Amino acid sequence: MATIKEFEDLEIWKLSRILCNDIFKLASNSELSSDYKLFNQLNGSSGSIMDNIAEGYERNGNKEFIQYLSIAKASCGETRSQLYRALDRNYCSEAEFEHIKNQTLVISKKIAAFITYLKRSDFKGSKFNQELWTLNLEHWTLNIEPWTLNFELW
């Protein structure tokens, strides 16, 4: 298993980024770009997938991460639903539709599997890792590679 040090290391974030770019390319090469409402909804919901994965990861706690992953998974469904409207309005071909729809399905399944993994994990998040901080009467130090922060208590 790979070590995850940043949200950019997560496969689900990488796949979400590809999906977001594919939707933007679809809009740029079709009349979808002139349907501002639908384009903005598709662009927003697909971007929300990757953004919620990133934001949840940066919360440093599994419960919060799971909550944001759930929102990201819901955004996959929202994107897929909006994609049907793009198909129905002839903004994309059946092949383009199927390709992007399958991307949303894969990402959604991978997010669901990751949520299940996190729920079963004993690790509750880096903010709960007692080895990351030490406290004494004069100051406390937070050691997170590559930074060490020292704060004086008054």
Side-chain angles (χ1 to χ4, degrees):
M1 176 179 262
T3 301
I4 307 298
K5 294 184 179 182
E6 300 171 338
F7 68 80
E8 293 93 340
D9 297 330
L10 293 167
E11 180 189 12
I12 54 175
W13 184 85
K14 291 175 186 176
L15 292 172
S16 300
R17 182 178 178 201
I18 292 167
L19 170 67
C20 196
N21 285 321
D22 285 353
I23 286 175
F24 190 81
K25 288 175 194 169
L26 173 71
S28 299
N29 297 324
S30 73
E31 294 298 314
L32 178 57
S33 62
S34 63
D35 186 338
Y36 303 113
K37 178 82 169 169
L38 182 55
F39 170 71
N40 285 334
Q41 288 178 316
L42 263 167
N43 192 45
S45 65
S46 63
S48 180
I49 301 166
M50 60 188 285
D51 295 344
N52 278 294
I53 292 168
E55 187 172 353
Y57 180 87
E58 293 293 331
R59 295 282 179 148
N60 296 324
N62 280 7
K63 283 186 180 182
E64 290 172 296
F65 193 16
I66 290 167
Q67 178 182 358
Y68 279 86
L69 288 171
S70 179
I71 295 166
K73 186 175 180 308
S75 292
C76 277
E78 182 181 1
T79 300
R80 194 164 59 252
S81 179
Q82 292 161 353
L83 188 60
Y84 276 96
R85 292 202 324 257
L87 176 67
D88 293 344
R89 294 174 188 175
N90 297 313
Y91 294 142
C92 63
S93 68
E94 188 73 37
E96 290 169 319
F97 168 81
E98 286 297 327
H99 173 72
I100 295 175
K101 183 185 95 170
N102 287 334
Q103 285 177 287
T104 64
L105 290 170
V106 166
I107 293 167
S108 186
K109 288 176 185 175
K110 287 182 179 282
I111 290 173
F114 193 41
I115 288 170
T116 300
Y117 167 79
L118 290 174
K119 284 181 177 179
R120 293 179 180 167
S121 174
D122 290 333
F123 182 70
K124 299 302 176 200
S126 62
K127 71 180 177 182
F128 300 105
N129 188 347
Q130 297 297 317
E131 295 173 8
L132 290 178
W133 57 273
T134 57
L135 178 66
N136 66 37
L137 295 176
E138 296 176 18
H139 69 278
W140 62 274
T141 303
L142 179 64
N143 296 307
I144 300 176
E145 292 293 325
W147 305 284
T148 299
L149 306 172
N150 293 302
F151 296 91
E152 298 296 325
L153 297 176
W154 35 149

